[in-house]
Each structure stands twice: as structure tokens, then as C-alpha cells.
Amino acid sequence: MTEHRKLYPAYDAYQTGYLDTGEGHQIYWELCGNPKGKPAVFLHGGPGGEIANYHRQLFDPERYHIMLFDQRGCGRSTPHASLENNTTWHLVADIERLRQFMGVEKWLVFGGSWGSTLSLAYAEKHPNSVSELVLRGIFLLRPQELHWYYQEGASRFFPEKWERTLSILSEEERSDVITAYHKRLTSEDLHVQLEAARLWSLWEGETVTLLPSTSSDFFSENHFALAFARIENHYFINHGFIDETQQLLDHIDVIRHIPAVIIHGRYDMVCQVQNAWDLAKAWPEAELCIVEGAGHSFDETGILHQLIRATDKFVGK
């Protein structure tokens, strides 16, 4: 049996800085790997997540030149947890600015979960800027996907965790969880915001892996949870700022010529495997990898193996 591929050994960024968007946001970025290597950009999840040092290790540092950044309002970007001028299309513009700053014509775009959404939106807007796509845990921002995770679906598999999520809501509010949480996450009372943020964030932190993981503790930490919950909810109540219900699928012809790998866990409770299947059906040229015995998280053994295989494949290893 083939040994599963693992993260590359840890390595540091060689340069960091902030991109001034001119719209009140400062975007933290870092460059790492080989400046003469294949250009790539890593798009983190959420919306409202952040980059971590181990995300660099998805790429061979001798063969890749990697840009990683914290999206607007989260991680080390400022202002923290800000919703102003924070939409999908603002982020798409930020990615393109970072490409130009890096001085590359094209780059490999790597995104998981919300990062896969953003990768598709960016590629469809700037197809000439993308050399390849590595997409994991596909999320297409369709109404049924939000309904599955925040109303009826995933809750049936995690009833005790969902009951905790609903605990601050009235019976009436429970018919529209995203809206009810939005009221609390945008409250003028920081204590109300934090209570809602921790519960919203922990729901995701405890359902992203097939088996329980101690990494979920990070999701309830105040600084992370506030940005994660406020920004994610802000995007979801606004339907991702995408006008058409199936916009990302309907515009797939724009990018079908771009080499791509689609990776999805069979038992992903955050984003159902149907999402990956629908994307692959619309994009038959892409390689689809459904990983057995895996959930949503990138670092589950089978998913991580396929991600490293994909980045190695596109760099010619």
C-alpha cells in the first residue's frame, strides 16, 4: 500500500508585509519558498479564517514560491473583524493586487472550503492569471448548502452540538439561524457578540473532522471566534455577494481549460460531497478525488495525501 504523503517540514516566510487596499483595510501577507520557484497563492477558509504556519507546508519550498495572506478583517489583517468593504469581490481584487505585487503573470491557486469558493470566483474573474487550481472541500455558496449546515441537515448528525448552538435563540428565531445570529454578531454590546461568536465558531470547529479533534478548542478563542463568526455570518446572510444562485457553476466554462484537482471527503458534514460531484459534472476536465474515511478538514490523512500529491503533480515532481 502506498504510504500517505505528509506536510513538508516546517519553514519560515522570508518576507512579510501589509497591502493597503485604500478602503480602510490592511492585508497581512507573507512570501515563502523559493523566489525562483513556481508561483502559488493559498486562500484560507471561513470566510473569516486565517493562515497558519503549517499551510506553507502544503508546498515544496524548493520548488514553489508561495504567497499566503489573511483576508480582510481576520488573522493579522486590520481592522480586526471589520465588515465594512468586505465582500467576495473585494477579496478577489485583493488577490489580483497581490499577484501584481508579487510580479508574476500566473500562479497556481490553492483553496479549501470557503477558499475553494474564492478560488473559483477569482479564476472566473481573472482566468488569465491562473495556471492551475487545487480545490478542497467544495463550497459553491448555493442556498441549499447554507440550509444544510445552518438549518436542517448537519444538525441531525450532531444533535447535542446543534442544541448548544441554538441555546441562545428563542423558538421563533430558530427558524432562521443565520439571521438570528447576525443580530447578535452585529450587536453594539461586545459581550453579546462574543457569546454568539464562540457558539457559531465552535459549531464549525467540532464538525469539520470525521473524528473529534482537540484542534476545535482554537475555534472558541475570543480573538479568532469574533472575526470568524462575524465575517462568515456577514457573507452568508448576504449570499456571498453573488447575484446568481449557481453563479460559480454557471460560469465554469470560463475556466474549463485550466488544469484542476477537486478533493473532497466522503463524509464531509460541513460541505456535502454532492458539491464536489456537481462541480466535477460541470467541469469534466478536472480531476475529482473523493476521499474515503474523511470529513472536511485539510489535515485528515487521506485529504492531506491528495493535496500534497496535487501540489507535487503541478510542480512536476
Side-chain angles (χ1 to χ4, degrees):
M1 184 175 179
T2 304
E3 182 179 355
H4 281 108
R5 302 192 188 189
K6 300 178 182 179
L7 292 172
Y8 280 94
Y11 55 95
D12 295 328
Y14 71 80
Q15 184 179 358
T16 65
Y18 284 86
L19 170 73
D20 185 350
T21 66
E23 298 168 320
H25 288 270
Q26 297 284 331
I27 306 300
Y28 171 80
W29 56 264
E30 58 184 43
L31 287 171
C32 52
N34 180 356
K36 296 182 179 180
K38 180 181 180 65
V41 61
F42 175 86
L43 306 183
H44 67 68
E50 59 186 48
I51 58 172
N53 292 347
Y54 49 75
H55 290 144
R56 305 169 188 156
Q57 297 169 244
L58 290 158
F59 304 87
D60 182 345
E62 295 183 2
R63 293 174 177 263
Y64 272 102
H65 189 202
I66 315 106
M67 167 72 74
L68 302 94
F69 70 99
D70 289 322
Q71 295 160 28
R72 295 189 181 203
C74 50
R76 282 165 281 191
S77 293
T78 60
H80 182 68
S82 172
L83 308 182
E84 187 176 356
N85 293 324
N86 198 340
T87 72
T88 302
W89 307 110
H90 284 104
L91 301 186
V92 165
D94 292 343
I95 299 168
E96 187 64 358
R97 288 191 193 103
L98 289 169
R99 181 191 65 80
Q100 293 166 357
F101 166 77
M102 193 173 171
V104 298
E105 181 181 356
K106 292 187 177 185
W107 53 5
L108 177 146
V109 179
F110 182 117
S113 192
W114 159 252
S116 74
T117 322
L118 188 55
S119 296
L120 289 169
Y122 171 72
E124 290 179 3
K125 182 73 172 178
H126 299 284
N128 294 330
S129 297
V130 181
S131 57
E132 299 91 9
L133 285 154
V134 177
L135 306 172
R136 187 269 309 166
I138 305 304
F139 176 44
L140 299 171
L141 261 177
R142 296 173 295 181
Q144 65 263 35
E145 297 173 46
L146 294 175
H147 188 80
W148 160 265
Y149 195 54
Y150 291 105
Q151 209 61 54
E152 296 179 22
S155 59
R156 300 174 186 175
F157 293 87
F158 305 99
E160 78 286 9
K161 302 180 192 306
W162 186 240
E163 185 172 302
R164 180 185 61 205
T165 306
L166 298 179
S167 64
I168 60 172
L169 307 183
S170 68
E171 287 296 327
E172 182 179 1
E173 288 177 312
R174 295 179 185 192
S175 64
D176 188 347
V177 172
I178 292 176
T179 297
Y181 262 86
H182 182 71
K183 293 176 182 177
R184 289 164 172 79
L185 291 167
T186 56
S187 168
E188 294 183 0
D189 187 331
L190 181 59
H191 295 291
V192 172
Q193 285 191 36
L194 282 171
E195 178 185 42
R198 286 191 293 264
L199 289 173
W200 176 283
S201 185
L202 196 57
W203 164 244
E204 188 155 334
E206 291 190 349
T207 56
V208 292
T209 53
L210 181 63
L211 299 175
S213 169
T214 56
S215 64
S216 63
D217 297 342
F218 175 72
F219 281 76
S220 59
E221 188 275 319
N222 285 349
H223 185 80
F224 175 82
L226 191 63
F228 183 80
R230 273 173 53 84
I231 295 171
E232 190 167 74
N233 178 273
H234 164 70
Y235 272 71
F236 294 168
I237 202 167
N238 288 290
H239 307 289
F241 304 94
I242 289 179
D243 296 332
E244 305 166 39
T245 300
Q246 293 206 133
Q247 180 171 333
L248 297 177
L249 286 180
D250 290 345
H251 294 184
I252 205 71
D253 284 352
V254 176
I255 61 171
R256 280 179 57 180
H257 65 285
I258 300 174
V261 176
I262 300 167
I263 299 163
H264 207 108
R266 172 76 72 186
Y267 304 105
D268 187 334
M269 291 294 158
V270 180
C271 301
Q272 295 179 85
V273 70
Q274 185 71 46
N275 302 346
W277 182 254
D278 291 346
L279 179 59
K281 292 289 283 185
W283 193 358
E285 296 84 0
E287 177 187 351
L288 173 64
C289 301
I290 296 177
V291 182
E292 303 295 345
H296 184 69
S297 185
F298 90 94
D299 57 357
E300 293 184 69
T301 302
I303 293 178
L304 181 59
H305 170 77
Q306 293 296 344
L307 291 172
I308 301 295
R309 184 191 66 81
T311 56
D312 283 353
K313 168 187 173 180
F314 286 135
V315 83
K317 285 191 69 175

